[in-house]
Amino acid sequence: MAASITLFLISIFMLLLSLLLLPIPCHSADPDPLQDFCIADLRGALSLNGFPCKPTSKVTSDDFVYSGLMNEGNTSNYLGSFLNVANIFAFPGLNTLGVSMTRIDIAVGGVTNPHWHARATECGVLIRGKALLGIITSRNVVYARNISVGEMYVVPRGLLHYHLNVGEEPVLAFSAANSQLPGTIYIAQNLFGSTPSVPDQVLAKAFQLDQSVVDQIKSKFVG
Ligand SMILES: *[C@@H]1O[C@H](CO)[C@@H](O)[C@H](O)[C@H]1NC(C)=O
Ligand SMILES: *[C@@H]1O[C@H](CO)[C@@H](O)[C@H](O)[C@H]1NC(C)=O
């Protein structure tokens, strides 16, 4: 009897111990790299999940630096903003590393097109100006907050969000994403500017609009 109780207690102890030793699951958005670096060969003919690596003999210091975010974006467009995205296509050095960066310039009164990232959480820091950041949850709740210089924000993966310049000077922010290719989806273009186009009946019903209004909206996204 005593022996079986002892056995029982030992097995409970072993079970608890094994639970404690189980690694806590923790996943980054992109898979972890298996080597120091893998500078993307964007012209590689292989088709795989990601990009093949440039031969190490051809890798230089320049492969680890991207200069494309230095200049202010041209915000002379209907949104009054420009997102300069340094993803894997712009900066092959990001390949397999699970990160990317975007420079956000927003003119006074301008907005970033409401969008979401299919594969990444975004976090950013405001460098200049004042911006209202709005995040819309899957339950249609908006969390909106004015962000000041030096403040950091986070947008959870997959949530729709926008920035509005509410200050008196151009906004500059830098945002990072935990994916080399975050899968950014601009909701307006996605619905009204896709190819081939989403049928008018679908959009008319979804937005409770006349089809003529749908056509009018679609015409703005042509080209
Ligand atoms: C900014 O974009 C507008 C509209 O495309 C263009 O007319 C203008 O020349 C651009 N400005 C600069 C400095 O490139
Ligand atoms: C953000 O700032 C603007 C301009 O100062 C103000 O009108 C607005 O009410 C603020 N919004 C929030 C959510 O605090």
Side-chain angles (χ1 to χ4, degrees):
M1 194 62 186
S4 71
I5 286 176
T6 309
L7 208 62
F8 177 72
L9 286 177
I10 288 175
S11 56
I12 291 282
F13 176 75
M14 293 307 282
L15 181 73
L16 286 176
L17 193 67
S18 62
L19 280 178
L20 273 178
L21 292 179
L22 264 184
I24 295 163
C26 173
H27 302 287
S28 57
D30 290 352
D32 283 337
L34 302 174
Q35 54 213 327
D36 278 0
F37 56 82
C38 169
I39 310 299
D41 176 1
L42 297 180
R43 289 179 303 277
L46 276 176
S47 171
L48 42 76
N49 186 18
F51 291 96
C53 318
K54 189 170 159 173
T56 302
S57 60
K58 296 226 167 87
V59 171
T60 70
S61 308
D62 288 341
D63 284 316
F64 298 92
V65 177
Y66 179 63
S67 309
L69 301 185
M70 292 167 77
N71 300 323
E72 191 165 349
N74 186 345
T75 57
S76 301
N77 53 56
Y78 71 94
L79 292 163
S81 71
F82 191 84
L83 301 189
N84 189 347
V85 182
N87 62 23
I88 179 69
F89 290 112
F91 186 9
L94 299 178
N95 197 32
T96 76
L97 301 180
V99 292
S100 57
M101 181 82 85
T102 297
R103 175 185 172 126
I104 303 172
D105 285 291
I106 315 174
V108 174
V111 298
T112 58
N113 219 346
H115 63 279
W116 54 284
H117 307 286
R119 286 181 291 275
T121 288
E122 167 181 340
C123 64
V125 174
L126 195 82
I127 305 296
R128 187 182 63 209
K130 187 178 170 194
L132 177 78
L133 169 72
I135 300 172
I136 310 171
T137 72
S138 61
R139 297 185 163 206
N140 307 323
V141 176
V142 174
Y143 290 92
R145 166 74 145 69
N146 281 330
I147 313 283
S148 299
V149 169
E151 283 191 303
M152 177 181 172
Y153 60 87
V154 66
V155 180
R157 165 145 65 155
L159 296 192
L160 196 59
H161 57 284
Y162 53 84
H163 309 73
L164 168 66
N165 184 343
V166 291
E168 263 121 52
E169 59 180 328
V171 156
L172 171 63
F174 285 92
S175 73
N178 63 336
S179 171
Q180 65 182 29
L181 192 59
T184 303
I185 295 168
Y186 295 98
I187 199 106
Q189 272 98 335
N190 200 232
L191 282 168
F192 294 93
S194 288
T195 317
S197 69
V198 178
D200 281 8
Q201 298 94 305
V202 173
L203 297 172
K205 281 203 163 47
F207 287 85
Q208 304 181 55
L209 294 171
D210 281 348
Q211 290 194 17
S212 61
V213 180
V214 170
D215 284 336
Q216 199 188 334
I217 301 175
K218 275 185 176 175
S219 70
K220 295 180 191 296
F221 292 100
V222 173

